Amino acid sequence: MHTPPQMMADRKDDPEGDLGVATKTKPKTQRPPLYKVLLLNDDYTPMEFVVHILERFFGLNHAQAFEIMLTVHKKGLAVVGVFSHEVAETKVAQVMDFARRHQHPLQCTMEKE
């Protein structure tokens, strides 16, 4: 392998071989923003359907799903999970599509945490 003349000159001037070692501090990598996925109450979607959605799309057990469904029912909305933008967007789309296919007006939205 041919060493360029400049590199050879550097080696003579720098016998330890630590010429040009620059240490840069890494910038702190920022975590991507997280998004809350919210379910909104309505007067038409059955409670059992909401529980089913929470179990199916958010991996909650029946007791957890039932508690969140009651929160949605009593308070008008509830956070059902916090995710990266892409995951939150996908979950909202899945829930909305599933609700429409079953002819329920259930609303699911996302907002920055």
Side-chain angles (χ1 to χ4, degrees), residues 25-66:
T25 56
K26 272 188 176 176
K28 283 206 187 237
T29 50
Q30 285 209 316
R31 295 185 65 131
L34 294 175
Y35 291 79
K36 297 185 279 194
V37 173
L38 303 127
L39 275 185
L40 309 178
N41 190 40
D42 65 72
D43 294 332
Y44 306 99
T45 305
M47 292 179 173
E48 302 81 38
F49 186 78
V50 175
V51 170
H52 177 70
I53 278 191
L54 292 167
E55 291 171 344
R56 178 174 178 156
F57 297 108
F58 297 94
L60 302 176
N61 66 36
H62 189 75
Q64 293 167 321
F66 193 82

Side-chain angles (χ1 to χ4, degrees), residues 10-96:
D10 289 347
R11 283 200 188 126
K12 285 182 212 140
D13 298 340
D14 184 27
E16 271 92 56
D18 53 12
L19 178 82
V21 175
T23 54
K24 270 201 261 183
T25 56
K26 272 188 176 176
K28 283 206 187 237
T29 50
Q30 285 209 316
R31 295 185 65 131
L34 294 175
Y35 291 79
K36 297 185 279 194
V37 173
L38 303 127
L39 275 185
L40 309 178
N41 190 40
D42 65 72
D43 294 332
Y44 306 99
T45 305
M47 292 179 173
E48 302 81 38
F49 186 78
V50 175
V51 170
H52 177 70
I53 278 191
L54 292 167
E55 291 171 344
R56 178 174 178 156
F57 297 108
F58 297 94
L60 302 176
N61 66 36
H62 189 75
Q64 293 167 321
F66 193 82
E67 279 300 309
I68 291 176
M69 176 277 297
L70 281 180
T71 302
V72 172
H73 181 68
K74 291 176 186 167
K75 297 191 175 179
L77 64 95
V79 174
V80 295
V82 179
F83 309 95
S84 69
H85 186 269
E86 293 76 20
V87 173
E89 208 170 48
T90 300
K91 297 230 181 249
V92 168
Q94 287 174 326
V95 169
M96 294 294 287

